[in-house]
């Protein structure tokens, strides 16, 4: 079967750095997405990785290792508004998105 | 503002009744999707449409039907609602299936 694993919940301090990991086992791979979802709102696009390596976009970076079936989302200089759920999703061989259950990130002052 | 519009925002529905959740996009995206999101389970695909006139079943299609008469609209119908269909429903679209998905604001449905 297809599986995406992420930690259920993480806590970090305002101003710090946090890394959210995602491991996947899917039938094929055509890219990996990270989305942010604030409580009661729709998911919004953060990043897309299809090649190995690090993609940096402001305070957020996303890393991919296809050989290890592994990705992480790195958030720097954490702000209170970063409190949200972070969803990892993999595009499989049929170009369907397989979603992880999400990681709820709690930021403390 | 361009994007996806879902209606209604929330609804309480008696079991056994039918209901159609509406979804309209103005981005001319070919692909559209319906997901349900339940606590601890993440997003699960109900039905999808790669282009107008075609639809396909996702991971959890039972009890739901869709149609795609044109590019912009992708309604989701519950023929006879059951309490297990209580969930938050998101409509999404993408321009190629490989690009980022744009989501609607969701419909919170409670079946009692």
């Amino acid at each position: 079967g297809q599986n995406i694993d992420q930690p259920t919940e993480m806590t970090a301090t305002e101003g710090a750095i946090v890394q959210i990991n995602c491991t996947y086992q899917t039938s094929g791979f055509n890219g990996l997405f990270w989305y942010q979802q604030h409580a009661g709102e729709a998911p919004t696009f953060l990043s897309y990785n299809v090649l190995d390596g690090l993609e940096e976009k402001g305070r957020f970076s996303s890393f991919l290792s296809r050989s290890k079936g592994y990705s992480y989302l790195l958030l720097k200089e954490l702000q209170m508004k970063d409190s949200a759920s972070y969803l990892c999703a993999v595009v499989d061989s049929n170009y369907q998105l397989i979603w992880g259950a999400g990681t709820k990130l709690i930021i403390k002052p | 503002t361009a994007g996806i519009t879902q209606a209604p925002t929330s609804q309480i529905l008696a079991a056994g009744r039918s209901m159609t959740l509406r979804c309209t996009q103005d981005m001319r995206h070919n692909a559209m999707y319906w997901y349900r999101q339940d606590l601890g389970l993440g997003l699960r695909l109900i039905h999808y449409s790669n282009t107008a006139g075609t639809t396909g079943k996702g991971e959890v299609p039972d009890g739901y039907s869709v149609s795609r008469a044109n590019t912009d609209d992708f309604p989701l119908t519950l023929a006879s609602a059951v309490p297990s269909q209580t969930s938050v429903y998101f409509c999404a679209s993408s321009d190629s299936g490989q690009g980022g998905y744009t989501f609607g604001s969701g419909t919170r449905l409670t079946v009692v």
Side-chain angles (χ1 to χ4, degrees):
Chain A
Q2 310 207 86
N3 196 48
I4 311 285
D5 285 319
Q6 309 177 232
T8 301
E9 186 174 296
M10 299 181 70
T11 302
T13 304
E14 190 177 15
I17 299 173
V18 70
Q19 177 175 311
I20 302 174
N21 295 325
C22 171
T23 58
Y24 61 89
Q25 293 171 317
T26 56
S27 58
F29 177 86
N30 284 296
L32 185 145
F33 289 94
W34 283 98
Y35 278 78
Q36 181 189 58
Q37 185 177 25
H38 285 102
E41 298 182 9
T44 56
F45 172 82
L46 284 179
S47 67
Y48 174 68
N49 295 68
V50 66
L51 299 176
D52 290 350
L54 187 68
E55 296 275 346
E56 296 186 77
K57 190 184 295 185
R59 293 189 300 114
F60 292 6
S61 302
S62 56
F63 172 83
L64 174 66
S65 169
R66 289 172 295 172
S67 63
K68 295 182 179 178
Y70 168 70
S71 173
Y72 67 72
L73 181 69
L74 190 71
L75 291 74
K76 304 176 184 176
E77 302 170 15
L78 286 169
Q79 303 175 8
M80 297 304 293
K81 67 178 182 180
D82 297 330
S83 292
S85 289
Y86 292 86
L87 313 180
C88 174
V90 172
V91 185
D92 71 7
S93 57
N94 294 318
Y95 292 96
Q96 297 291 340
L97 268 185
I98 310 300
W99 294 85
T103 298
K104 182 178 181 180
L105 178 63
I106 299 168
I107 309 297
K108 295 185 174 180
Chain B
T1 304
I4 295 183
T5 302
Q6 287 186 238
T9 302
S10 65
Q11 182 75 45
I12 299 174
L13 185 67
R17 300 295 295 269
S18 67
M19 179 177 181
T20 295
L21 281 62
R22 300 184 297 279
C23 175
T24 300
Q25 54 112 351
D26 61 3
M27 299 171 286
R28 308 303 294 172
H29 284 174
N30 283 324
M32 296 188 75
Y33 312 86
W34 273 106
Y35 287 93
R36 59 179 290 173
Q37 188 175 39
D38 303 289
L39 195 63
L41 294 180
L43 288 160
R44 292 184 292 168
L45 183 65
I46 304 171
H47 285 286
Y48 65 94
S49 169
N50 288 329
T51 190
T54 69
T55 63
K57 293 181 179 180
E59 179 185 356
V60 288
D62 294 344
Y64 307 95
S65 63
V66 292
S67 61
R68 187 86 183 278
N70 56 62
T71 298
D72 298 344
D73 301 301
F74 191 43
L76 176 74
T77 297
L78 288 68
S80 179
V82 295
S84 61
Q85 292 178 309
T86 293
S87 186
V88 179
Y89 291 85
F90 287 103
C91 180
S93 72
S94 69
D95 56 1
S96 66
Q98 299 180 51
Y101 284 26
T102 300
F103 284 84
S105 56
T107 295
R108 184 174 296 276
L109 178 67
T110 303
V111 182
V112 297

